[in-house]
Amino acid sequence: MADEKKHHLFHRKKDEEEERPVGDQYGAGEGVYTAETVTTEVVTTGQDEYERYKKEEKQHKHKQHLGEAGAIAAGAFALYEKHEAKKDPENAHRHKITEEIAATAAVGAGGYAFHERHEKKKDGKSAEEATGEKKHHLFG
């Protein structure tokens, strides 16, 4: 138990037979304080990189689908508000404003889905490069 090394950033090294003087509250001259840093070297193999890229590709695909769903929902709400503007002439101005906001949200969600699609493609190409194999295309 006494020989176990504790994983702390700062260790106080002192001899066991040395006693602390009673009047010395700060421990001056008693021991040496050292700072130790632990470095860990991570070696990634091609298989680990491939799995990481595939996982990221799957995450981007999921986010792309969420963006597409958001675009569909916001677009549907914009069409509903357009219908309400025609149906309710007293509050037509409010419905038109809400329609424009929903249309803007639909465009933003579509842009997000588009961005995630390109991220997914990029991770797919990176995963392909990580394996070291290249697909042979006829043109390109």
Side-chain angles (χ1 to χ4, degrees):
M1 286 281 188
D3 294 337
E4 289 182 8
K5 185 176 181 181
K6 295 182 181 180
H7 298 284
H8 294 286
L9 191 59
F10 294 99
H11 294 285
R12 184 169 183 201
K13 296 181 180 179
K14 71 174 192 174
D15 296 329
E16 291 180 10
E17 58 269 350
E18 219 177 290
E19 294 288 325
R20 173 187 264 184
V22 176
D24 191 8
Q25 68 182 18
Y26 298 107
E30 151 183 326
V32 178
Y33 290 96
T34 61
E36 295 180 11
T37 57
V38 179
T39 58
T40 306
E41 184 176 333
V42 178
V43 179
T44 58
T45 61
Q47 186 67 18
D48 292 338
E49 269 187 63
Y50 175 78
E51 290 173 3
R52 184 174 59 99
Y53 285 126
K54 280 298 188 181
K55 183 178 179 182
E56 287 179 8
E57 184 179 2
K58 187 176 180 182
Q59 289 172 349
H60 288 301
K61 183 178 180 181
H62 179 71
K63 290 178 183 178
Q64 176 190 350
H65 285 231
L66 288 177
E68 290 170 353
I72 290 170
F77 185 69
L79 288 176
Y80 168 75
E81 286 296 325
K82 186 173 186 177
H83 171 71
E84 286 293 314
K86 291 180 183 177
K87 185 177 163 185
D88 185 15
E90 290 178 4
N91 297 317
H93 184 68
R94 181 177 65 93
H95 289 297
K96 285 182 183 180
I97 291 172
T98 309
E99 173 196 350
E100 288 296 321
I101 292 171
T104 304
V107 170
Y112 179 71
F114 186 72
H115 164 75
E116 289 298 328
R117 176 174 172 79
H118 283 285
E119 290 292 319
K120 180 181 76 169
K121 282 182 166 182
K122 185 172 72 173
D123 283 338
K125 287 182 182 178
S126 298
E128 182 181 306
E129 290 173 2
T131 60
E133 298 175 7
K134 289 189 176 182
K135 292 183 181 177
H136 299 287
H137 295 286
L138 188 58
F139 299 107

